[in-house]
Amino acid sequence: VTIATSEQSPIQLSVIIPAYNEAYRLPSYLTTVAGYMYAMYGAEAEIIVVDDGSHDATADEAVKADNGSGLVRIIKLEHNMGKGCAVKIGMLAAKGRLRLFVDADGATPIAEYQKLYLLSTVVRILLWHRVQSEMIQEWWIQNYLAKLLVPVSICWFVH
């Protein structure tokens, strides 16, 4: 999960979801994200689904999952360009003051965003990564060094 900021925008938060052949998994997560975002920001939020050249109905399912909230925008790439490219295209298209990238499988619950938001007040870019609990000691070292050396914070979501 990455948060980047853009100072001049009426959109408070952009959520970027790269998706490749996610017609089955994306709709339920997207519905959850749209409901959460609408409750938190109303029309001052956007969700950008970047369909990375899917061969299934990912884009169509994303449109259906919007349920009329008007928050979802679809960017459909003609052929698969890779997740990194899909994320970059989504970030560049985003209008939000804050930009959040999440995976289409919903592995990170959107409600975890609140933790990131609190941290985003002190750092410009925030990286959030899920790890197993035995790696918690590594978290302290990397988080501490990242804050000392660069304005980037690395945080771990323990599950």
Side-chain angles (χ1 to χ4, degrees):
V1 178
T2 305
I3 291 184
T5 63
S6 172
E7 300 302 325
Q8 305 291 336
S9 177
I11 301 293
Q12 295 300 308
L13 178 64
S14 296
V15 176
I16 293 87
I17 305 176
Y20 179 70
N21 292 335
E22 294 285 356
Y24 178 73
R25 292 192 295 185
L26 179 63
S28 65
Y29 185 58
L30 187 54
T31 299
T32 301
V33 171
Y36 180 85
M37 300 311 299
Y38 194 80
M40 296 295 291
Y41 295 99
E44 293 182 346
E46 68 177 348
I47 302 166
I48 300 172
V49 175
V50 182
D51 181 344
D52 190 16
S54 296
H55 299 291
D56 64 4
T58 295
D60 296 333
E61 292 299 321
V63 170
K64 289 180 198 172
D66 180 30
N67 288 330
S69 75
L71 299 181
V72 179
R73 283 197 293 151
I74 311 296
I75 298 174
K76 188 161 175 48
L77 306 180
E78 290 191 27
H79 59 277
N80 182 261
M81 299 179 71
K83 183 176 182 179
C85 187
V87 171
K88 179 180 178 179
I89 288 169
M91 287 287 181
L92 291 173
K95 299 174 185 170
R97 188 179 64 78
L98 296 172
R99 297 170 191 183
L100 173 68
F101 146 63
V102 296
D103 288 328
D105 64 0
T108 303
I110 192 63
E112 294 294 321
Y113 162 72
Q114 283 304 111
K115 295 175 185 175
L116 296 175
Y117 178 76
L118 294 173
L119 292 170
S120 74
T121 61
V122 293
V123 294
R124 302 243 342 132
I125 298 174
L126 181 66
L127 305 172
W128 184 270
H129 181 69
R130 289 172 284 123
V131 296
Q132 299 298 325
S133 58
E134 60 270 11
M135 295 178 72
I136 194 69
Q137 185 175 6
E138 181 183 348
W139 173 84
W140 288 107
I141 295 166
Q142 290 187 7
N143 192 32
Y144 183 72
L145 289 175
K147 286 183 178 178
L148 284 177
L149 301 175
V150 293
V152 172
S153 181
I154 301 171
C155 301
W156 306 100
F157 174 63
V158 179
H159 62 99

